[in-house]
Amino acid sequence: MYSNILRHPGPTPIPKRVQLAMSQDMMSHRSEEFVHLFRETTKRVKPIFGTKQEILLIPSGGTAALEAAAVNTVSPGEEVVVITVGAFGNYFVSICEKYGFHVHKLEKPWGEACTAEELAAFLKPLSNIKAVFATYNETSTGILNPIEKLAAVVRTQTDALFIVDGVSCIGGAPAEMDQWGIDILVTGSQKAMMLPPGLAFLSVSERAWKVIEENKTPAYYLNLLSYRDWAANGMTPNTPAISLIYGLSAVCDLIEEEGGFSQTVARHELMKNMVREAMKALSIGLLTADEHASPTITAILCPEGVDLGAFLGHLKKKYHLDFAGGLGHLQGKIFRFGHMGYCFPSDILEAVALLEAGLQDFSYAFEPGTGVVAAQKVFLAAPKR
Ligand SMILES: Cc1ncc(COP(=O)(O)O)c(C=O)c1O
């Protein structure tokens, strides 16, 4: 049996070393060994977030950490701005509405980013905003919002907290939480972090802790003060995902062996460019402009004359190549090529070659090899790693 070549936005492939690390024997989460593992591992994750603050680990999907960020900072009736450029921005809207926040929605068409100028203009007439929520990488469209610039607008124009969903890019995109002025940055394990689903990461600025300390909305399992207090002693309030934390330690080894996090970011940038140039060479459209293209996922328009559902099914069945389809109104119109985490330029060459094989099966008119050569050119032109 072949295993599928998983080119999804997550869950993503898990490195063998991480799998082996996760198979270590269980231990008590109140033991000295756990305290050592927790302290050492979370310390090594800090450069990935670009923070000196504690990294809090919640045994959950990314959504729980997004919810924790919302419920711990804002109370019902308070005003927030949510920037939404796709399906996952709308997630944040739903969470905020569920908790009864007064939501001002800055909505952009799917496939576009929110610019600093647009945010500045949107915030201008608003005077009482408690928090601005944004998605760093919109997984449904492959947009990387200019989060550093958006943070600068929030910092200079308001006293609001800036809360960022980095679920589908942290670990593959640059993040300088402290320097950029992000107040809460969230991610999940199953994407660029090269782990199975089940672990959420969250870091909180000093400013945000002050707001959280004063917030009156009750939270129990997602009470961040409780996570902070326990983390001070190298532990978590409840039973943690111990196996995933073992795995996380191995992920940190891999990133450090790659030459540090900046090299990991450079690899993602390279893979993005390889995919984009391959599609352009094949005359297949891209949903997003180069300027705001995601380093972890590329949304690709349906090749002309091809039945997309049948094509994706065929790629999976015949070539074991598994791409993700479009979400919402983009279903049947785009497919999404994941290139994050445990994914290398060689994987891009493989996927483009198999994609080309499928295109030939579907009688798409092109010169075979065009996409592979274009991707290869980008790879060969990149600085030697
Ligand atoms: C940008 C973004 N935010 C949030 C989520 C939700 O994360 P989870 O499914 O781990 O709860 C996802 C999942 O794909 C995502 O891509």
Side-chain angles (χ1 to χ4, degrees):
M1 261 298 277
Y2 286 106
S3 55
N4 283 328
I5 301 164
L6 196 59
R7 295 274 66 90
H8 265 239
T12 60
I14 313 295
K16 192 54 98 193
R17 266 172 63 186
V18 175
Q19 292 183 30
L20 289 171
M22 288 188 302
S23 66
Q24 289 176 75
D25 288 342
M26 253 326 113
M27 61 173 150
S28 162
H29 60 293
R30 301 296 180 223
S31 64
E32 270 178 36
E33 297 93 303
F34 179 78
V35 169
H36 179 75
L37 175 72
F38 181 89
R39 287 208 162 119
E40 282 304 303
T41 309
T42 53
K43 190 166 78 188
R44 295 165 79 199
V45 174
K46 291 181 183 189
I48 301 172
F49 276 63
T51 189
K52 290 194 166 45
Q53 299 298 326
E54 194 60 69
I55 302 290
L56 306 178
L57 299 177
I58 306 178
S60 70
T63 307
L66 299 179
E67 187 162 343
V71 72
N72 282 270
T73 53
V74 183
S75 296
E78 289 184 322
E79 292 183 50
V80 299
V81 168
V82 183
I83 300 167
T84 173
V85 303
F88 291 97
N90 289 344
Y91 239 59
F92 249 157
V93 172
S94 303
I95 292 170
C96 291
E97 285 179 348
K98 199 59 147 182
Y99 281 100
F101 307 164
H102 178 163
V103 178
H104 301 272
K105 189 157 61 159
L106 196 180
E107 195 166 12
K108 290 295 308 277
W110 289 29
E112 289 181 24
C114 174
T115 65
E117 294 71 26
E118 284 161 344
L119 178 60
F122 191 85
L123 288 173
K124 214 165 191 175
L126 304 172
S127 55
N128 210 12
I129 299 300
K130 188 80 181 284
V132 176
F133 294 84
T135 318
Y136 188 1
N137 190 71
E138 177 49 65
T139 325
S140 61
T141 60
I143 277 289
L144 191 77
N145 272 315
I147 221 72
E148 179 181 0
K149 291 181 182 158
L150 298 180
V153 171
V154 176
R155 285 279 80 86
T156 50
Q157 251 180 261
T158 76
D159 292 326
L161 297 179
F162 189 45
I163 299 177
V164 175
D165 170 356
V167 169
S168 63
C169 68
I170 296 303
E176 294 295 345
M177 180 181 152
D178 297 350
Q179 199 186 314
W180 295 349
I182 294 173
D183 290 299
I184 301 185
L185 181 59
V186 168
T187 198
S189 50
Q190 75 274 25
K191 295 177 186 283
M193 295 301 290
M194 299 188 265
L195 288 164
L199 190 64
F201 304 65
L202 188 139
S203 195
V204 178
S205 73
E206 293 291 350
R207 281 161 38 87
W209 279 125
K210 291 202 181 87
V211 173
I212 292 170
E213 281 159 9
E214 282 161 23
N215 188 269
K216 299 280 180 286
T217 313
Y220 185 75
Y221 194 72
L222 297 179
N223 188 323
L224 291 180
L225 291 173
S226 167
Y227 278 87
R228 180 180 70 175
D229 293 348
W230 281 92
N233 293 318
M235 284 185 257
T236 55
N238 309 99
T239 313
I242 295 171
S243 303
L244 286 158
I245 301 173
Y246 273 135
L248 179 59
S249 173
V251 166
C252 293
D253 290 343
L254 292 173
I255 291 174
E256 285 161 16
E257 284 167 24
E258 189 171 15
F261 185 53
S262 62
Q263 288 301 311
T264 309
V265 168
R267 169 167 52 87
H268 283 80
E269 193 65 16
L270 172 60
M271 295 191 296
K272 168 189 87 174
N273 292 333
M274 288 173 72
V275 171
R276 295 181 77 78
E277 290 312 310
M279 295 309 126
K280 288 176 196 169
L282 291 167
S283 304
I284 298 176
L286 297 163
L287 181 69
T288 62
D290 289 344
E291 188 191 358
H292 296 298
S294 159
T296 56
I297 180 141
T298 300
I300 299 168
L301 303 185
C302 177
E304 223 173 290
V306 168
D307 173 341
L308 189 58
F311 182 60
L312 296 180
H314 177 78
L315 287 178
K316 187 167 174 186
K317 190 151 184 247
K318 185 166 178 194
Y319 301 110
H320 308 281
L321 176 60
D322 196 358
F323 288 129
L327 299 179
H329 69 273
L330 292 178
Q331 198 176 2
K333 297 197 171 82
I334 63 160
F335 65 100
R336 294 172 302 145
F337 186 145
H339 35 83
M340 66 179 95
Y342 193 49
C343 183
F344 295 86
S346 53
D347 297 308
I348 305 300
L349 293 174
E350 172 189 59
V352 173
L354 294 174
L355 174 72
E356 283 197 13
L359 288 171
Q360 291 183 64
D361 296 337
F362 273 63
S363 304
Y364 179 77
F366 75 109
E367 184 63 42
T370 320
V372 175
V373 168
Q376 210 173 49
K377 273 191 183 151
V378 175
F379 180 44
L380 292 173
K384 281 276 163 293
R385 293 158 48 79

